[in-house]
Amino acid sequence: MVSTAARRSGRRGWFFVAPFLLVFALTFIAPIIYAIQLSLFRNQAFFGGNKFVGLANYAVVVADPKFWESFLRVLLFLAVQVPIMLLLALIAALAIDSARLHASGFFRVVIFLPYAVPAVVATLMWGFIYGDNFGLAADINHLLGRAVIHPLTGSWVLSAIGNIVTWEFVGYNMLIFYSALKVIPGELFEAAEIDGAGALRTILSVKLPAIRGALLIATIFSIIGSFQLFNEPNILRPLARNFISSFYTPNMYAYNLSFDGQQYNYSATVAIVMGLLTAIIAYVVQLRGSRKELR
């Protein structure tokens, strides 16, 4: 039988955890339940009000070309931008961690500084740089005497957004990698030095295997962030309305369905489907990364 002291200790534990559980339930669990409830209904415009339709909204999303166009766009964004961003962050972390870089603390702060800039401010700043009639792009075109750079037109738009996101988050990921590098046991470096390993061999055989967990975490965070892409294209949209549509990303699609189209039920369905797809892809990446780590 459980002693009285153990029962009292358990009650005290729940007492301290209760505030977190309450906030977690109100800010995380409750909105999800409400969104699921919304997705099971459909608003009848002229009669009947909200009508229960079960999974009908989900069937519409599966057949919605706008949703899949936006999903494939962020999938392409993920496949190109995330590897470039993580590679740059890894190179920066390795350079700062090495003893050969002077003023490493200064470079660490400079590279991390863009992450401290709010996303809205960063996007507005880059929007002025990208402008066809003003900013750096316009000045370069004027200097060359011809229109060479079009960051906010055609196929350039996604690359321009990727540049903004990379600029914002290289420092964040660099700090993750750098923190992992600093806790590598010194004995591993001593053993590599005794074996005659050079700088490149030490990186490939000691540092990279040791920070594999940090690489996996940064990759998962970047995947989730890519599928949540919203601020950058939404803020740049007034500058490129012909190329950034209201369904440019799934989050923009859900947002505009809800606040511009008043289609709250369908918007909730899109958000839930996107959340499920994001969770599945992130889980697959985590599972594959964990298996490789165990080998």
Side-chain angles (χ1 to χ4, degrees), residues 151-229:
L152 297 179
T153 59
S155 58
W156 287 68
V157 174
L158 195 61
S159 300
I161 295 172
N163 180 64
I164 298 174
V165 175
T166 301
W167 182 82
E168 289 176 318
F169 289 96
V170 161
Y172 172 79
N173 290 290
M174 177 273 297
L175 200 61
I176 294 177
F177 299 151
Y178 178 73
S179 300
L181 287 169
K182 298 306 291 183
V183 298
I184 299 176
E187 294 82 1
L188 296 178
F189 297 110
E190 294 175 2
E193 186 177 357
I194 293 173
D195 291 339
L200 181 59
R201 176 55 60 186
T202 301
I203 291 174
L204 296 176
S205 301
V206 178
K207 292 186 176 182
L208 292 184
I211 66 170
R212 188 173 295 166
L215 288 168
L216 178 60
I217 290 174
T219 302
I220 293 174
F221 285 171
S222 300
I223 289 172
I224 296 173
S226 296
F227 283 127
Q228 291 179 340
L229 187 64

